[in-house]
């Protein structure tokens, strides 16, 4: 049931969120063990940057924070400073919140 609710929330959110060349979309996916984030330009359908916590060490919260920071560093190298945050239907707390905090501290604005 939880997965079905997440898909419904994500569908509702995506009606209003779209990434452009100026403000691409930062999409988050959280599994039970890992967290993944990518920056997407929805107009062209291209992924501009990607980061995951597969190689990180620490607790899940620490790994999410490091992943957000790593993604922000990659994005600033690609001259991306502002994004639209797409939490993927996940609630904005825990690992999703820590990823967002890391991305903000890394230099992304949203």
């Amino acid at each position: 049931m939880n997965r079905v609710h997440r898909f419904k929330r994500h569908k509702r959110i995506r009606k209003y969120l779209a990434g452009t060349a100026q403000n691409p979309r930062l999409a988050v996916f959280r599994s039970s063990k890992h967290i993944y984030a990518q920056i997407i330009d929805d107009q062209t359908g291209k992924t501009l940057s990607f980061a995951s916590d597969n190689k990180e060490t620490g607790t899940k919260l620490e790994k999410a924070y490091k992943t957000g920071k790593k993604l922000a560093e990659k994005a600033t190298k690609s001259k991306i400073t502002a994004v639209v945050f797409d939490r993927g239907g996940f609630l904005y707390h825990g690992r999703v919140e820590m990823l967002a905090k890391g991305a903000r501290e890394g230099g992304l604005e949203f």
Side-chain angles (χ1 to χ4, degrees):
M1 239 11 214
N2 199 7
R3 188 173 189 203
V4 173
H5 291 129
R6 183 180 78 80
F7 285 139
K8 284 183 180 180
R9 278 193 304 269
H10 194 207
K11 190 175 177 183
R12 267 196 320 262
I13 292 167
R14 288 285 288 129
K15 283 185 207 175
Y16 305 103
L17 286 181
T20 63
Q22 293 80 22
N23 280 351
R25 178 169 55 102
L26 192 160
V28 176
F29 176 74
R30 172 180 66 83
S31 72
S32 61
K33 292 183 180 181
H34 298 289
I35 192 159
Y36 307 90
Q38 56 184 341
I39 297 177
I40 305 166
D41 179 3
D42 288 319
Q43 291 176 334
T44 60
K46 303 259 183 193
T47 297
L48 306 174
S49 185
F50 170 80
S52 71
D53 69 346
N54 289 338
K55 308 258 185 205
E56 302 292 337
T57 58
T59 65
K60 289 181 186 180
L61 288 174
E62 291 168 350
K63 291 194 296 185
Y65 177 80
K66 291 175 189 176
T67 302
K69 202 138 175 122
K70 182 171 47 171
L71 182 68
E73 289 170 4
K74 285 183 178 181
T76 52
K77 286 181 185 174
S78 301
K79 298 180 181 170
I80 299 169
T81 57
V83 294
V84 177
F85 190 71
D86 176 14
R87 58 190 172 91
F90 297 103
L91 300 179
Y92 187 83
H93 74 101
R95 290 189 283 158
V96 175
E97 184 179 5
M98 289 303 288
L99 186 135
K101 183 178 179 184
R104 281 190 182 106
E105 289 182 9
L108 289 179
E109 294 177 16
F110 54 90

